[in-house]
């Protein structure tokens, strides 16, 4: 399944909504309504049972993905919530906002959260590897870095995009990275060697989101005008094995 956030007219009023789609057929399965303004970010829980969403209405919401019911609403940001992310164990939510704060919410205790302020302005993007050992850091140029999460040391630089890198995502197994850029392409990288394995194009506008499906076999990307493309991505070791079998025949 895929989940996407947007807004639509309900009579004379704009409301925020979330759509759940069948990723294979493209069929819309369910619409979740509850936010009063645009939904900027949607994120599946690690077990796939719930969705978290952030909206222009300053709130985060948690939804039961099967029933479509909103089961929790969190308030605390002073302006729109642009990003939401679950912790790997499903116990916490992190939310980023235009109010320049990052909040970490305890899902088991109402109204309890940790507020991180005075975040350095040069931290444009940070994404943790699945094992928690590494961080991705974007630069002001057309590249990005892997850093050691504990020491902060830069371990590897990834170069290849012709314009600014806007986002990077880890594959579920931590072996690969997908990056999107102002050059309207998605690149897949070997996280260990830094080699660019594949470049996907097809978007005519700047790409604002990319990510792996939960099985790591497909890549999804959305551009400025909400065009969504999906590509197949066989892991490199699988391609090598297939090539060996073909060569043997």
């Amino acid at each position: 399944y895929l989940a996407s956030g947007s807004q639509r007219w309900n009579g004379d009023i704009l409301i925020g909504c979330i759509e759940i789609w069948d990723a294979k057929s493209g069929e819309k399965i369910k619409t979740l309504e509850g936010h009063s303004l645009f939904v900027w970010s949607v994120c599946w829980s690690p077990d796939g049972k719930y969705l978290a969403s952030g909206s222009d209405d300053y709130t985060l919401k948690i939804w039961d993905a099967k029933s479509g019911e909103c089961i929790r609403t969190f308030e605390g940001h002073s302006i729109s919530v642009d990003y939401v992310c679950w912790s790997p164990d499903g116990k916490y939510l992190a939310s980023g906002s235009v109010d320049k704060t990052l909040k970490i919410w305890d899902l088991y205790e109402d109204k309890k959260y940790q507020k991180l302020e005075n975040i350095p302005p040069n931290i444009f993007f940070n994404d943790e590897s699945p094992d928690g050992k590494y961080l991705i850091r974007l630069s002001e140029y057309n590249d990005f870095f892997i850093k050691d999460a504990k020491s902060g040391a830069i371990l590897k630089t990834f170069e290849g995009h012709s314009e600014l890198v806007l986002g990077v995502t880890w594959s579920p197994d931590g072996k690969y990275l997908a990056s999107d850029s102002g050059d309207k392409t998605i690149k897949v990288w070997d996280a260990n060697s830094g080699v660019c394995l594949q470049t996907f194009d097809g978007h005519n506008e700047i790409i604002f989101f990319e990510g792996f499906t939960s099985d790591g076999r497909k890549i999804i990307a959305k551009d400025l005008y909400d065009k969504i493309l999906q590509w197949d991505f066989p892991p490199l070791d699988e391609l090598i094995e297939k090539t060996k079998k073909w060569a043997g025949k």
Side-chain angles (χ1 to χ4, degrees):
Y1 303 97
L2 284 174
S4 59
S6 65
Q7 65 181 4
R8 67 177 182 83
W9 288 99
N10 184 11
D12 297 330
I13 302 174
L14 271 175
I15 62 171
C17 58
I18 298 164
E19 315 283 4
I20 298 179
W21 312 80
D22 185 297
K24 188 174 183 180
S25 68
E27 177 186 0
K28 188 195 309 186
I29 297 171
K30 195 182 274 78
T31 299
L32 313 182
E33 296 178 358
H35 282 292
S36 59
L37 293 172
F38 193 89
V39 176
W40 282 107
S41 181
V42 183
C43 185
W44 291 94
S45 63
D47 61 10
K49 294 181 179 180
Y50 304 99
L51 284 166
S53 59
S55 167
D56 260 345
D57 64 11
Y58 307 179
T59 70
L60 295 85
K61 291 182 182 292
I62 298 179
W63 310 79
D64 184 299
K66 187 175 182 179
S67 69
E69 178 186 1
C70 177
I71 56 178
R72 294 283 297 277
T73 298
F74 298 91
E75 298 179 352
H77 284 290
S78 60
I79 202 165
S80 65
V81 180
D82 292 343
Y83 296 98
V84 291
C85 184
W86 294 82
S87 62
D89 59 10
K91 294 181 179 179
Y92 304 95
L93 270 178
S95 60
S97 168
V98 181
D99 65 14
K100 301 180 182 179
T101 68
L102 173 70
K103 297 183 189 297
I104 301 174
W105 306 81
D106 188 324
L107 301 184
Y108 293 91
E109 294 191 38
D110 288 341
K111 299 182 179 179
K112 181 178 179 181
Y113 62 83
Q114 181 178 359
K115 183 178 179 181
L116 309 181
E117 297 181 284
N118 301 319
I119 299 172
N122 62 332
I123 298 183
F124 178 64
F125 183 90
N126 254 8
D127 190 23
E128 188 178 273
S129 61
D131 60 10
K133 294 181 179 180
Y134 308 103
L135 289 173
I136 290 295
R137 175 81 174 274
L138 304 189
S139 77
E140 298 176 356
Y141 304 100
N142 305 335
D143 54 18
F144 62 94
F145 313 98
I146 285 184
K147 300 179 67 176
D148 185 285
K150 191 173 183 179
S151 69
I154 294 175
L155 305 178
K156 202 173 301 296
T157 301
F158 296 76
E159 299 176 311
H161 283 290
S162 60
E163 294 191 28
L164 188 69
V165 178
L166 301 173
V168 183
T169 305
W170 294 87
S171 64
D173 60 9
K175 293 181 179 180
Y176 307 100
L177 292 162
S179 60
D180 63 78
S181 163
D183 63 15
K184 304 172 187 176
T185 68
I186 301 287
K187 291 186 180 292
V188 180
W189 311 79
D190 182 281
N192 185 48
S193 68
V195 172
C196 178
L197 304 176
Q198 202 158 357
T199 299
F200 298 101
D201 53 29
H203 282 285
N204 298 318
E205 302 296 336
I206 293 175
I207 300 167
F208 275 101
F209 169 82
E210 98 294 321
F212 289 87
T213 51
S214 57
D215 61 3
R217 300 295 295 275
K218 295 181 185 295
I219 292 172
I220 306 290
K222 181 179 83 70
D223 67 22
L224 178 64
Y225 290 104
D226 297 333
K227 180 180 180 181
I228 298 173
L229 296 181
Q230 176 176 281
W231 293 275
D232 291 324
F233 174 60
L236 186 61
D237 50 359
E238 182 176 321
L239 291 177
I240 291 173
E241 289 302 315
K242 287 183 177 180
T243 303
K244 286 181 178 177
K245 290 180 180 178
W246 175 81
K249 293 178 182 179

